[in-house]
């Protein structure tokens, strides 16, 4: 299993990691830490053609200029194990990058339906898998003490690969296109 993502810049990654650590200490929620690098996901998939995938993503990165993204608020994907997240606002730049990733990867892998353009909700996960509806209220009350208006510097594409229980960096491509 692979995740095609953009890793957060160090300052934002540190803030998100601090929040995640607080949720572990206060509520015992730590499954989100299976991906140690805070990130924005464009696609979850699998492929047997990893070298070709790296090549097409490197080409996208080489021709895409870095841009700013923005977050606001909190969100929940409901269910038996709700996902708590910070929404990333969709913009033309973000939508274009997402579509380019989908276009170049289409011959190599199939996206999960949740990552198709009409269903994709970009976000930064704070808690997942080990959450329950019972803990949702207390966690949201706790998180509600802060605001989550971040400016993200979207300056890379990264492949994260599932290794055991973790998603680890496989490769990172810096966005180098010009405006």
């Amino acid at each position: 299993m692979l995740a095609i993502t953009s890793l957060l810049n160090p300052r934002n990654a540190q803030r998100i990691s601090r929040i995640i650590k607080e949720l572990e200490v206060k509520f015992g929620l730590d499954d989100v830490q299976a991906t140690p690098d805070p990130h924005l996901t464009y696609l979850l998939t699998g492929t047997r053609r990893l070298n070709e995938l790296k090549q097409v993503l490197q080409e996208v990165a080489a021709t895409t200029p870095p841009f700013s993204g923005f977050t606001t608020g909190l969100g929940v994907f409901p269910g038996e194990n709700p996902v708590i997240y910070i929404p990333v606002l969709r913009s033309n730049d973000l939508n274009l990058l997402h579509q380019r990733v989908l276009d170049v990867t289409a011959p190599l892998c199939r996206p999960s339906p949740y990552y198709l353009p009409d269903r994709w909700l970009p976000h930064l996960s704070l808690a997942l898998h080990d959450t329950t509806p019972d803990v949702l209220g207390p966690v949201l009350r706790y998180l509600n003490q802060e605001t989550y208006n971040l400016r993200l510097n979207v300056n890379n594409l990264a492949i994260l690969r599932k290794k055991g229980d973790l998603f680890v960096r496989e490769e990172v491509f810096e966005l180098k296109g010009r405006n």
Side-chain angles (χ1 to χ4, degrees):
M1 178 65 68
L2 301 171
I4 300 171
T5 70
S6 284
L7 302 177
L8 298 188
N9 63 33
R11 183 174 175 210
N12 286 329
Q14 184 178 22
R15 180 169 182 205
I16 297 302
S17 293
R18 176 188 54 81
I19 295 165
I20 289 169
K21 191 63 176 170
E22 289 172 1
L23 294 179
E24 177 186 9
V25 169
K26 293 192 177 300
F27 302 98
L29 303 175
D30 65 359
D31 273 10
V32 75
Q33 294 174 47
T35 308
D37 295 310
H39 63 278
L40 162 66
T41 302
Y42 302 104
L43 177 63
L44 274 179
T45 192
T47 186
R48 296 179 194 274
R49 298 161 64 184
L50 183 58
N51 288 334
E52 290 174 66
L53 180 65
K54 289 179 182 181
Q55 182 179 1
V56 298
L57 291 177
Q58 184 173 19
E59 291 168 9
V60 169
T63 57
T64 302
F67 60 92
S68 293
F70 298 90
T71 68
T72 192
L74 291 168
V76 175
F77 295 129
E80 187 175 313
N81 300 107
V83 176
I84 303 167
Y85 63 89
I86 298 171
V88 177
L89 301 174
R90 289 180 71 160
S91 66
N92 286 336
D93 288 331
L94 189 59
N95 287 336
L96 286 171
L97 179 56
H98 180 240
Q99 189 61 56
R100 286 191 70 199
V101 167
L102 291 178
D103 290 346
V104 301
T105 60
L108 305 173
C109 50
R110 176 177 291 184
S112 158
Y114 295 112
Y115 294 92
L116 295 176
D118 60 342
R119 296 184 73 188
W120 181 56
L121 202 162
H123 63 278
L124 308 175
S125 296
L126 299 177
L128 52 83
H129 302 307
D130 57 354
T131 57
T132 65
D134 291 338
V135 76
L136 190 59
V139 169
L140 290 176
R141 268 191 300 281
Y142 174 76
L143 291 172
N144 196 44
Q145 298 174 63
E146 288 188 51
T147 59
Y148 301 95
N149 301 322
L150 302 174
R151 179 180 181 168
L152 307 176
N153 181 18
V154 181
N155 64 4
N156 67 78
L157 282 175
I159 300 173
L160 304 179
R161 183 174 45 90
K162 189 155 177 72
K163 184 176 183 179
D165 292 337
L166 299 177
F167 272 90
V168 297
R169 290 184 196 198
E170 174 72 23
E171 188 124 11
V172 179
F173 309 100
E174 298 300 318
L175 300 185
K176 295 181 180 178
R178 297 182 192 265
N179 287 327

